[in-house]
Amino acid sequence: MTLKSKFSILALGLWLGFISSAAAQQPREWIAQHVILIGLDGWGAYSLEKADMPHVKQLMTAGAYTLKKRSVLPSSSAINWASMFMGAGPELHGYTKWDSKTPELPSRVVSHYGIFPTVFGLLRDAYPQAEIGYEYEWDGMKYLVEQQALNFSKEIINHEKPDSTISVACNYIREAKPNLFAVIIDEPDHTGHVTGHDTPAYYETLHTLDGCIAQIIQATKEAGIYDETIFILTSDHGGITMQEMETPFIISGKNVQKGLIFDESMMQFDVAPTIAFLFGLQPPQVWIGRPMKQVFTRTF
Ligand SMILES: [Zn+2]
């Protein structure tokens, strides 16, 4: 073997090694480097027409949305947050009560984290270096995500919220520049239960939440990641009767269509596959949700 052919074999080996490690670590380019999901508990889509939420409406104009994302039944909290993160309904993930901490019905599949697979665990498994955060106000949220998959997990107790929730979220964004960060706020559902949905107090709360969302957007600018961020605003369920079943799904930012109101059917369990698609993740076979690919500007 000549020196030249030895060199060629070495080069080929390096090249193949590079290709296979690139394929294993980075199946394809991410649509955006940062995804911030802001969940408002009990935010019915019907409310947007009357709501004074200028920053949310700005995201709607600058991005894509549907006001017809449907909850799964029964349309209450843990069941729907689980479905949103887990890409499947209660028949598969097994969380069937408003406050389920463990599935009443055995999960069809349990991952190595010990629960039905969510998009958080999926991202962690594909990208060990990813920065993943999760913040919530209602303690029931902690059971619905693989806590071991998170770099940052924070529960904000009652007397501190919502200002503390937002300042913690903004600090985390500025310091850690997360790839995936979900902030789940326990309003306007609380106001909805105390004074009623679709009431002046409910709209007052929505206006306050709009200011919270503005602060989170501002934090991404201060972190220098705004141009590489996609914001998702959504909810677990709405108010009463049919108003309870339809929630907004608003997505805005890098590589997202501008001014698109999409009419394709979207279910609660389509949220996780949409986020997974954005990061180029292969969804588990047990997921039944579909990615809303039409909201993006390019096919990836
Ligand atoms: Zn709820």
Side-chain angles (χ1 to χ4, degrees):
M1 189 176 281
T2 64
L3 187 62
K4 192 182 169 194
S5 63
K6 270 188 189 166
F7 180 76
S8 299
I9 288 167
L10 180 68
L12 179 69
L14 285 172
W15 185 75
L16 287 174
F18 170 75
I19 294 292
S20 63
S21 72
Q25 288 165 17
Q26 189 104 13
R28 72 151 159 75
E29 182 193 350
W30 289 0
I31 294 178
Q33 290 299 309
H34 309 277
V35 175
I36 297 185
L37 186 154
I38 304 170
L40 306 182
D41 201 301
W43 182 29
Y46 72 89
S47 68
L48 264 159
E49 198 181 339
K50 278 193 267 175
D52 179 15
M53 303 184 90
H55 297 94
V56 169
K57 289 178 182 178
Q58 210 172 344
L59 288 175
M60 290 164 76
T61 309
Y65 69 91
T66 177
L67 298 182
K68 293 181 182 296
K69 174 167 65 72
R70 284 208 179 186
S71 298
V72 299
L73 288 172
S75 53
S76 51
S77 296
I79 302 154
N80 273 279
W81 292 117
S83 302
M84 186 188 297
F85 301 152
M86 295 175 173
E91 306 85 356
L92 288 163
H93 60 59
Y95 296 77
T96 63
K97 296 184 178 171
W98 76 272
D99 62 344
S100 298
K101 292 181 171 64
T102 52
E104 290 77 27
L105 183 72
S107 295
R108 177 64 181 79
V109 165
V110 172
S111 79
H112 64 98
Y113 294 107
I115 65 170
F116 193 91
T118 84
V119 70
F120 299 89
L122 202 64
L123 180 62
R124 169 61 65 226
D125 288 352
Y127 295 95
Q129 303 306 319
E131 176 68 35
I132 307 175
Y134 184 58
E135 185 188 357
Y136 53 93
E137 297 180 331
W138 175 50
D139 84 315
M141 297 302 301
K142 75 159 100 35
Y143 308 99
L144 309 177
V145 166
E146 304 93 334
Q147 291 294 321
Q148 316 94 299
L150 307 171
N151 300 87
F152 174 81
S153 178
K154 175 78 177 168
E155 178 179 331
I156 304 293
I157 55 172
N158 277 338
H159 70 271
E160 294 176 317
K161 58 187 186 183
D163 287 347
S164 181
T165 307
I166 300 307
S167 79
V168 167
C170 291
N171 283 338
Y172 175 62
I173 290 167
R174 281 188 292 256
E175 285 163 19
K177 303 178 184 17
N179 299 112
L180 176 60
F181 180 35
V183 191
I184 312 298
I185 300 173
D186 196 29
E187 287 281 14
D189 201 48
H190 181 72
T191 306
H193 283 297
V194 173
T195 62
H197 285 263
D198 203 13
T199 59
Y202 185 82
Y203 288 102
E204 188 56 40
T205 300
L206 287 180
H207 181 64
T208 304
L209 292 168
D210 186 73
C212 296
I213 291 162
Q215 288 182 59
I216 290 175
I217 296 168
Q218 178 59 28
T220 66
K221 292 179 179 171
E222 290 163 15
I225 62 170
Y226 175 78
D227 291 339
E228 270 291 339
T229 297
I230 287 179
F231 297 95
I232 295 174
L233 309 182
T234 193
S235 181
D236 55 341
H237 56 78
I240 30 178
T241 63
M242 194 55 201
Q243 291 183 340
E244 180 164 286
M245 290 295 292
E246 288 182 338
T247 50
F249 176 82
I250 301 165
I251 180 163
S252 187
K254 175 97 186 278
N255 290 323
V256 176
Q257 303 259 14
K258 296 193 190 328
L260 174 73
I261 305 169
F262 63 94
D263 196 38
E264 290 84 3
S265 161
M266 181 173 193
M267 285 293 298
Q268 195 67 273
F269 44 69
D270 296 329
V271 175
T274 303
I275 298 172
F277 175 74
L278 213 157
F279 288 115
L281 305 172
Q282 183 65 37
Q285 190 270 335
V286 71
W287 283 15
I288 59 170
R290 307 144 299 178
M292 297 289 113
K293 295 180 185 177
Q294 72 276 24
V295 305
F296 300 110
T297 51
R298 292 161 49 192
T299 45
F300 286 82

